[in-house]
Amino acid sequence: MSHDWQAVPKIYDAVKNSWVSKREEVFDHPLKASTITVQEGKIKRRYGGSNTSSASSSLSNTPKKTVSDPLTTFHPLSSALDGIDPLSQFAAGLDPLSQMAEEHERAKEISASRKCRLDDTFEPWSTKKVAILSKYTTSEKLSIATSFLSGGEKVIGKAPSSVSDKVKTRLEQLDDFEEGSVKEMLNLTQQEYVNRIEELNQALRESWEQDQRVKALKIGIQSAKLLVDTAAIQFYPSKFVLITDILDNFGNLVYQRIHSKAEHHRPGSRNPTPLPEQFTPDQVPESAKETCRNWFFKIASIRELIPRFYMETAILKSYSFLTQGEYSKALVRLTKMIRGIGDPLVAAYARCYLCRVGMSVAPEAHEHLRDNFWDFLILYNQLQSNFVKETLIKQNLDYPTYLTLYPPALDWILQCVVYKASETVLKEVLHKCKIQCNSALLLNSVMSAFKPEYIAKRSLELVDIMKECDDLGFPKHLLFRTLGLCLVVADPPENERLQILNDVWKIVTKLKNSADYMSCAEIWIEYAVKHFSKREVNTFLGDIIRHMSPDRAFEQHYPQLTRVVDRILAHMHDFSVIFSMDKFLPFLDMLQKESVKVDVCKVIMDAFMRYQVETTCDPVIINAAMFICKTIHDSVNALTLDDEKRQIGVLICAFIRKISFGRDFEQQLGFYVEARSTFSNLDAALIQLVQCVNLLAMRTRQIVKGHHTRKTSSFVKACIAYSFITIPSLMDVFSRLDLYLISGQVALLNQCLSQADAFLKSAISLIPDSPLIIEVDNKHKSTEPYLLSYISNLLSTLLIVPDHPEQEPLYLIRGLLNVIQDYTWEQHNDTKVLVYLNVLNLLSALSQETYIWSIDGVDSNDALYGSDPKFISEINKICSTLIDEILAHLKFLGDRGNFKKQSYLALELLCHIVAHGDLSCNSLFTLSNNLWLLAHRHGHCDQKSAANCLSYVKVRASKGGPYQDLANKLQMPTQV
C-alpha cells in the first residue's frame, strides 16, 4: 500500500517566534544561598539577594530568629578544649619536664639530619657508576680469588660451646682464610667476572641473613683484596665500582645490625623504643656500643693494609654509635693510611672511596678531603715512575690510555673538595697545580669540578695555563672541550669573549685528528652562537666543513655533526638568519646517510614550527624550508610506520601554514602548486593544501564581499580546479569525501555552480567505496556512524543547490538515494532508515515556498521552480517511496521479533510526519495513528520520547484542525 505524502507549509520566521520562551523579571539569582527565618510561627525563605522595599519594611518590625542545625551547637568551652576536660588532657600526655626533654631530643635529631644532608648541587655517586661501567671495559681474561664460589670454602665441623670457644673459632676461621683456603678462578671474561662479583654480593647477603657474621666478614675481606690486583688495568675503574658495591652492602648490614640492637628509653618513659634515624651517642645503650667496638677490633686485626683500609671505611658510619667527634679524626687517620699504598692507581681509587664515604657520613668534615687531593698532587710524579712504566709495558698499554683511568677518581675527589667552596679555593688549587706538576690531567679535572661561574671568570688565565701545561699522555683538546662546556653554562666577561674564542680556536683548528677536532667543535659552536653574530657562526660552520670534507671524514662523526645543529637551534630562533648563512645548507649536505639527514631535518622543522610565530614570505626561508621538508617527505616509503608518517605530516603542514604572501593571492596559489608537486606522496600535506586553497578562495570572496569581478572569478575557479585535481590523489576515502563536500560548499559560496555540481556528484559517487570497517587504536569500528553524519551534512548542502538545467529535477538527490539503496548496510543497524528519515526532512524543506537558508547570488530551487506543482509532485513521490521503504523495514523487524527497534523507529517516523507532514491528508493521519499503536504494541516504547511527541502534538492541536483530532486519538497507555 502506497502512502501519499504532502508536506505542511511553513513560514520559518513565524515558527521560530512561536517557540521562543517567555521571559520574566526576577530579583534574586537562583543560585544564591537562602536563609530560613521564622516569623510568628511561619517559616519563610529569603534568598541571599536583596528583596523589594515593601518586603523588607514588612519584616523589619517583626521578631525573627535564625534556625540553626542542632548538631552544630556546642558548649561554650568546647572550642577551646576540643571537647576534653583539662585534667583528662593532662593525664593523657607527658609531664611538662618530660615533654621538654623530648622536644629537646627531637630538635637535636632535626639539627643532625640537616647537617648531614647534601643538596642537589652535589652529584651522587649512583649517577657516575653507569658511565664508569660502560666506559672502562676490557677484552682480556680476568681472574678472581675467593673461597666462596664453586665450593672453595672449607667446612668447620665443630660448633662452639662457650663464649671463649666462639671467639677462638672465629679467629681460627679468619686465620684459615689468611693461610690459603682461597681458590683462584682464571680466564674469566668480563661478563663472567661481573657475574661472579654479583654472586659474591649475594653470598654476603645470604650469610648475613643466616647469622654467619664471620663468613660475611671474610667475603668482605676477600672482595676488598681484589682491589689490589691491577692485572687487567683498563678494567680497574669498573672493578672498583663493582667491589665497592659489596663493601657498601657490608657496611650497611653492620650498621643496621647495631641499630636494631640499640634500644633506648625516652625521657619520662619506661618502655624502650628503637633508635631514631638521627640519634646521638648518649642514646645508644652500652651493649650496642660494645658490639660496635667489636666490629672495629675485628677489622683492625686484618694484617694487609688495603683490605683493612677498605673494610674500616665501609663500616665508618657505625662510628656514630660511639662518639660524635670521631668522624673527622678517623677520616684523617685513614687518609694517612693510604700513603702506604704503592700503586698510584690503587691509591687514587682508595682516596676516592674514602672521600665518597666521608661525604655520606660527615659532609661537614673538610680536612681529609683537601689532604687527599694535596697528597695526590705531591705523589703525581709517581705516575711516571719505573713501576708504572713496567706495568704498562707488561700489559701492552700506552701512557695516554693509562692516564684516562684516573679521571673518575680524581673528579670525585675534586667534587668533594669544591662542594660549597668559594672562589678562593679555585685560586689555591690552580696555584698548587702549577707548582707541583702543571698537568693537563689535573687541570681537566679541576675545570670539571668547580662551578662554571668560577671557571668563566678565569677563562683567559686558564687558556694561558693550557698552553704551557704538560700534555704528556693527556691530549690538550680535552682541556679545550672541558673549558667550552663550562663557558656554555656560564658567560665569561664580555670584553674577553672574542679573545677567548680566538685564542682557543687558533689551537683547535690546527688539530689533525678529525675526532679530536669535532669533540671541541661540537661544544664551541654553542659558545659562538650564544655570544656572536651569524658571521662568526657561519665562519665556524665553514671551518667544520673544511675539516670534515677531506677523505669523507664526516662519515665518522654524524652524532657530533647532529649535535652541532641542535646547539645552533637551541639559541638561534630567527630562521631568516639561520637560512641566510651560506654554509648552513652545505653543512647539511655533509649528512649523506639518509636516516641521519632525515632526523636532523625533522629537528630543524620542529624548531621552525615552535619558534617561527609569524607567517613569512621571505624567499630565503621558503626555499630552504622547502628543501628540508622535501628531504623529510622523500624518506616516506611503503615501509614507513603510520606514526612516523603522522609526525612528518605535522611538520610539513606546519611549514605550509607559516607561509603567507598577504594580499598577493596569485603568488600564494603558486606556492601551493609548487608544494603539491613536492609533497605528492603524503596525504596529510595534500589535505592541508586543499584546505588552504579553499581558504584562499573564501578570503577572495570576503574581500569582494560576494560580488566577483571577472579577474576574481577566474582566480576562484583556478582555486576550485586545484582542489578538484588534488583530491583524487588522496589514499584515504574519508578524507576525499570530506574535502569533496567542503570544496563543493566553497564553490557554491563563490557562485561556481557547475564546479559545485561536480564536487557533490563526486562525493555521492564515492560513498560506495567507503569501507564497512576501519581500525582505530587496534580496534575495529563500523563506519556507519560516520556515513550517517556525513550524509546529513551533505543533505543540508543539497537543499540550496539548484538543479542543473540539462538534468531532471532533484537529480543529485535521486543519485544519492540510489547509492543509499545499493550500499551494503549492516543488518543489525538502522542507519539506512535514519538516513531515509533525514532525506524526508530535506524533501519537506524543498517543498516550502521559501527555504530556511540561502546563499547570496545563488538562486536555489525555491526561486527556480516557485513551488511549481509538478516539482512538488516529484518531491511527494519520492517521499511516498521513502515512507514505503521505512514501513517495509518496520515489518521486517517485526517478523524477526526485534520489537524494541521497531518501536523506536515507528516513533521516530511518527515524529517526522507530525513535524513535517500535512495531517489533513487522510493517509498520513491514519499512518500516524497506526505508528503510535505500533510503537506501544509490545511494551518496548520509550515513554519519555512518546510523552514529548504527544506534548508536541497537543501544542499544535491548540490551533485546531487535524492535530486536535490526532491528539484525541493518541493516548499514553496505562502502566500496569
Side-chain angles (χ1 to χ4, degrees):
M1 175 183 175
S2 178
H3 295 81
D4 296 332
W5 172 269
Q6 186 173 345
V8 63
K10 293 183 180 180
I11 303 174
Y12 288 109
D13 290 338
V15 173
K16 179 181 176 181
N17 294 331
S18 66
W19 289 100
V20 174
S21 300
K22 295 181 179 179
R23 300 179 181 180
E24 51 181 77
E25 187 177 5
V26 295
F27 298 98
D28 297 304
H29 195 283
L31 297 181
K32 280 189 176 179
S34 60
T35 318
I36 300 175
T37 60
V38 178
Q39 178 183 351
E40 295 181 350
K42 296 180 180 180
I43 297 178
K44 294 187 177 182
R45 185 181 300 273
R46 182 169 60 83
Y47 290 91
S50 59
N51 291 334
T52 59
S53 58
S54 60
S56 60
S57 62
S58 64
L59 294 176
S60 59
N61 297 323
T62 307
K64 56 185 178 182
K65 59 182 179 180
T66 302
V67 179
S68 59
D69 185 354
L71 295 177
T72 61
T73 305
F74 295 102
H75 191 276
L77 295 179
S78 62
S79 59
L81 299 176
D82 294 329
I84 305 175
D85 65 277
L87 294 178
S88 300
Q89 190 174 20
F90 182 77
L94 299 173
D95 63 274
L97 293 178
S98 299
Q99 192 169 2
M100 289 175 61
E102 185 176 7
E103 290 175 356
H104 178 67
E105 292 288 331
R106 192 178 298 114
K108 286 166 60 178
E109 293 170 12
I110 294 173
S111 174
S113 65
R114 286 177 178 172
K115 184 184 293 185
C116 295
R117 191 178 302 146
L118 296 172
D119 58 29
D120 294 337
T121 61
F122 190 85
E123 185 179 5
W125 176 255
S126 57
T127 61
K128 294 181 177 290
K129 283 168 40 176
V130 178
I132 296 174
L133 291 173
S134 61
K135 181 178 179 180
Y136 296 95
T137 59
T138 183
S139 58
E140 297 180 17
K141 296 298 181 179
L142 304 169
S143 63
I144 184 171
T146 178
S147 60
F148 298 100
L149 299 177
S150 302
E153 181 186 9
K154 289 185 178 180
V155 179
I156 305 295
K158 183 179 178 182
S161 57
S162 64
V163 175
S164 59
D165 290 339
K166 188 175 181 181
V167 172
K168 183 179 179 181
T169 302
R170 289 181 174 177
L171 292 175
E172 287 175 353
Q173 287 178 338
L174 289 176
D175 290 339
D176 179 66
F177 160 69
E178 300 287 348
E179 290 169 3
S181 65
V182 177
K183 292 185 178 181
E184 188 173 11
M185 299 180 183
L186 304 175
N187 297 324
L188 298 177
T189 65
Q190 177 180 318
Q191 187 57 49
E192 290 172 345
Y193 188 90
V194 172
N195 293 339
R196 294 293 185 180
I197 295 297
E198 181 55 36
E199 288 177 20
L200 270 180
N201 204 354
Q202 184 64 30
L204 174 67
R205 287 193 292 267
E206 291 176 357
S207 301
W208 194 270
E209 291 171 358
Q210 296 168 7
D211 290 335
Q212 299 180 17
R213 314 292 182 209
V214 172
K215 182 178 178 181
L217 176 62
K218 289 173 64 179
I219 294 174
I221 296 171
Q222 290 183 8
S223 301
K225 197 170 182 180
L226 293 175
L227 292 172
V228 180
D229 179 25
T230 58
I233 199 167
Q234 284 180 277
F235 186 65
Y236 192 84
S238 293
K239 181 198 288 189
F240 171 79
V241 170
L242 297 171
I243 299 300
T244 52
D245 279 349
I246 298 178
L247 299 177
D248 291 340
N249 187 17
F250 177 78
N252 289 331
L253 291 173
V254 171
Y255 180 85
Q256 294 298 332
R257 168 71 174 169
I258 301 173
H259 190 277
S260 65
K261 294 182 67 176
E263 293 183 337
H264 76 296
H265 293 79
R266 288 185 178 274
S269 175
R270 297 181 179 179
N271 298 322
T273 57
L275 282 178
E277 287 299 321
Q278 302 296 336
F279 57 87
T280 54
D282 56 342
Q283 295 176 298
V284 181
E286 191 59 35
S287 59
K289 290 183 178 180
E290 186 63 29
T291 304
C292 183
R293 292 190 192 98
N294 286 339
W295 276 108
F296 283 105
F297 292 155
K298 289 174 188 176
I299 290 172
S301 66
I302 300 173
R303 290 195 293 257
E304 296 187 37
L305 171 63
I306 292 178
R308 184 169 72 251
F309 163 78
Y310 273 105
M311 293 300 291
E312 182 175 354
T313 306
I315 67 167
L316 198 63
K317 186 178 180 181
S318 298
Y319 271 116
S320 59
F321 295 106
L322 302 176
T323 176
Q324 283 184 320
E326 188 65 25
Y327 277 134
S328 181
K329 296 178 183 178
L331 289 167
V332 172
R333 176 174 54 79
L334 290 169
T335 299
K336 294 177 180 178
M337 188 186 298
I338 297 174
R339 295 172 184 171
I341 300 176
D343 191 317
L345 184 65
V346 176
Y349 278 91
R351 299 183 195 282
C352 171
Y353 187 62
L354 180 62
C355 292
R356 176 159 76 82
V357 174
M359 289 300 289
S360 65
V361 300
E364 71 281 358
H366 299 291
E367 183 180 355
H368 70 287
L369 299 174
R370 295 192 185 182
D371 287 348
N372 274 287
F373 183 64
W374 302 145
D375 287 353
F376 182 84
L377 290 182
I378 294 171
L379 301 175
Y380 183 79
N381 290 331
Q382 286 188 358
L383 271 65
Q384 301 179 31
S385 64
N386 292 331
F387 169 77
V388 172
K389 291 178 181 178
E390 291 172 2
T391 302
L392 298 182
I393 293 171
K394 183 178 179 181
Q395 300 199 24
N396 194 24
L397 196 70
D398 57 3
Y399 191 68
T401 305
Y402 174 71
L403 285 186
T404 61
L405 303 178
Y406 283 89
L410 189 54
D411 289 349
W412 182 265
I413 295 171
L414 274 168
Q415 178 180 317
C416 298
V417 169
V418 306
Y419 178 63
K420 291 187 176 179
S422 63
E423 194 174 354
T424 56
V425 177
L426 173 60
K427 183 178 179 181
E428 181 182 1
V429 168
L430 287 176
H431 177 69
K432 288 201 173 187
C433 284
K434 286 195 290 186
I435 293 177
Q436 294 290 344
C437 54
N438 199 25
S439 165
L441 169 66
L442 284 171
L443 187 59
N444 187 69
S445 294
V446 167
M447 290 190 294
S448 301
F450 279 90
K451 290 182 179 180
E453 292 80 5
Y454 297 167
I455 302 298
K457 291 180 181 179
R458 296 175 171 269
S459 49
L460 269 181
E461 177 188 349
L462 288 167
V463 171
D464 293 336
I465 295 175
M466 290 177 199
K467 293 176 182 177
E468 299 171 2
C469 71
D470 175 22
D471 63 342
L472 178 62
F474 195 87
K476 279 189 177 180
H477 75 270
L478 293 179
L479 295 179
F480 294 111
R481 175 185 170 86
T482 304
L483 178 62
L485 289 171
C486 294
L487 296 185
V488 297
V489 176
D491 298 336
E494 189 172 357
N495 59 340
E496 298 178 0
R497 292 173 184 174
L498 184 59
Q499 184 181 352
I500 292 170
L501 181 61
N502 289 334
D503 290 350
V504 170
W505 213 248
K506 283 177 184 177
I507 300 173
V508 173
T509 194
K510 295 178 182 178
L511 294 173
K512 302 299 183 183
N513 187 291
S514 60
D516 295 347
Y517 173 83
M518 277 308 302
S519 68
C520 294
E522 67 167 310
I523 302 300
W524 282 91
I525 185 69
E526 186 172 359
Y527 177 80
V529 173
K530 282 184 68 175
H531 301 301
F532 302 104
S533 65
K534 75 168 187 177
R535 185 174 67 86
E536 287 80 6
V537 177
N538 193 45
T539 304
F540 209 116
L541 291 176
D543 193 61
I544 295 176
I545 294 172
R546 183 171 60 84
H547 278 80
M548 292 294 104
S549 296
D551 300 325
R552 299 177 67 86
F554 53 79
E555 293 180 348
Q556 309 301 321
H557 304 291
Y558 285 140
Q560 292 91 333
L561 295 173
T562 301
R563 288 194 285 271
V564 167
V565 177
D566 291 338
R567 287 182 165 90
I568 292 175
L569 295 175
H571 300 282
M572 292 183 71
H573 301 156
D574 188 346
F575 283 86
S576 62
V577 173
I578 295 175
F579 291 145
S580 64
M581 293 188 295
D582 59 353
K583 301 297 183 183
F584 186 75
L585 292 182
F587 180 88
L588 294 183
D589 288 337
M590 286 197 302
L591 307 174
Q592 295 187 8
K593 187 177 180 180
E594 183 184 2
S595 60
V596 175
K597 189 169 188 176
V598 169
D599 289 341
V600 171
C601 290
K602 286 180 182 177
V603 170
I604 295 172
M605 292 313 301
D606 182 66
F608 182 84
M609 181 174 65
R610 286 185 285 118
Y611 300 124
Q612 186 67 34
V613 179
E614 302 293 333
T615 57
T616 182
C617 61
D618 188 338
V620 174
I621 294 179
I622 294 174
N623 292 332
M626 184 75 82
F627 166 76
I628 293 170
C629 286
K630 186 178 187 304
T631 302
I632 303 173
H633 169 269
D634 292 346
S635 68
V636 176
N637 54 45
L639 301 178
T640 305
L641 299 176
D642 290 340
D643 284 344
E644 189 172 356
K645 286 183 181 179
R646 194 177 300 112
Q647 179 191 8
I648 294 172
V650 168
L651 295 175
I652 294 177
C653 291
F655 160 65
I656 293 171
R657 289 193 297 269
K658 296 293 183 183
I659 306 304
S660 174
F661 292 90
R663 297 288 288 267
D664 191 349
F665 289 175
E666 291 184 356
Q667 193 170 358
Q668 187 80 40
L669 182 59
F671 165 75
Y672 292 147
V673 171
E674 182 184 357
R676 179 178 62 185
S677 64
T678 305
F679 311 128
S680 56
N681 295 330
L682 204 60
D683 270 14
L686 294 177
I687 292 170
Q688 181 66 54
L689 287 169
V690 172
Q691 296 281 32
C692 288
V693 171
N694 285 335
L695 179 61
L696 200 59
M698 293 306 297
R699 288 175 62 194
T700 305
R701 180 183 185 273
Q702 184 181 21
I703 289 173
V704 300
K705 298 180 180 178
H707 303 291
H708 284 292
T709 63
R710 180 178 297 179
K711 183 178 181 180
T712 59
S713 179
S714 299
F715 176 76
V716 166
K717 288 178 181 178
C719 292
I720 293 170
Y722 178 101
S723 299
F724 194 76
I725 294 170
T726 307
I727 293 173
S729 61
L730 296 174
M731 299 296 294
D732 184 54
V733 174
F734 299 112
S735 298
R736 276 186 278 163
L737 282 171
D738 289 335
L739 290 178
Y740 273 134
L741 180 55
I742 293 171
S743 301
Q745 292 168 346
V746 170
L748 200 59
L749 286 165
N750 284 282
Q751 300 144 33
C752 300
L753 302 183
S754 59
Q755 288 85 350
D757 259 12
F759 278 116
L760 297 176
K761 193 186 299 182
S762 299
I764 293 170
S765 303
L766 190 60
I767 290 176
D769 294 339
S770 58
L772 298 176
I773 301 293
I774 58 173
E775 186 175 341
V776 179
D777 297 332
N778 296 323
K779 295 180 181 178
H780 293 286
K781 293 187 178 182
S782 171
T783 60
E784 289 193 2
Y786 166 81
L787 284 178
L788 177 60
S789 173
Y790 178 80
I791 293 174
S792 300
N793 192 359
L794 176 60
L795 292 173
S796 65
T797 304
L798 292 177
L799 173 64
I800 55 165
V801 176
D803 283 338
H804 196 282
E806 296 179 2
Q807 300 288 344
E808 61 177 334
L810 308 175
Y811 83 102
L812 286 176
I813 296 175
R814 293 176 190 272
L816 177 61
L817 289 173
N818 290 334
V819 168
I820 295 170
Q821 181 66 31
D822 296 336
Y823 187 79
T824 305
W825 302 93
E826 295 181 23
Q827 289 188 355
H828 62 277
N829 285 343
D830 304 316
T831 309
K832 182 178 180 180
V833 175
L834 296 176
V835 170
Y836 281 157
L837 291 173
N838 288 336
V839 176
L840 200 62
N841 294 342
L842 168 66
L843 294 172
S844 300
L846 283 169
S847 303
Q848 304 305 317
E849 185 175 351
T850 303
Y851 292 167
I852 191 171
W853 68 290
S854 61
I855 295 175
D856 292 338
V858 176
D859 291 331
S860 300
N861 286 340
D862 57 345
L864 293 180
Y865 292 106
S867 298
D868 184 85
K870 291 182 179 180
F871 177 67
I872 301 299
S873 176
E874 289 294 327
I875 293 175
N876 291 340
K877 287 179 183 179
I878 299 174
C879 291
S880 298
T881 304
L882 291 176
I883 291 176
D884 291 341
E885 289 286 338
I886 296 172
L887 293 176
H889 185 73
L890 291 176
K891 184 177 183 303
F892 170 76
L893 292 175
D895 293 341
R896 297 188 62 179
N898 199 339
F899 301 119
K900 187 173 183 179
K901 283 188 177 181
Q902 185 190 52
S903 173
Y904 167 72
L905 293 177
L907 192 60
E908 283 292 315
L909 178 57
L910 171 60
C911 291
H912 281 72
I913 292 174
V914 169
H916 304 294
D918 188 354
L919 295 185
S920 60
C921 179
N922 292 331
S923 62
L924 287 182
F925 185 89
T926 304
L927 177 61
S928 300
N929 188 36
N930 292 336
L931 288 171
W932 178 265
L933 296 176
L934 177 63
H936 291 85
R937 180 175 300 168
H938 299 285
H940 293 286
C941 184
D942 184 356
Q943 298 299 318
K944 186 175 180 180
S945 300
N948 290 337
C949 178
L950 183 57
S951 175
Y952 175 79
V953 172
K954 289 180 179 179
V955 171
R956 297 290 298 272
S958 60
K959 299 180 181 179
Y963 286 96
Q964 179 67 49
D965 299 334
L966 183 63
N968 294 332
K969 283 183 170 289
L970 304 185
Q971 300 294 330
M972 292 290 293
T974 56
Q975 298 291 331
V976 179

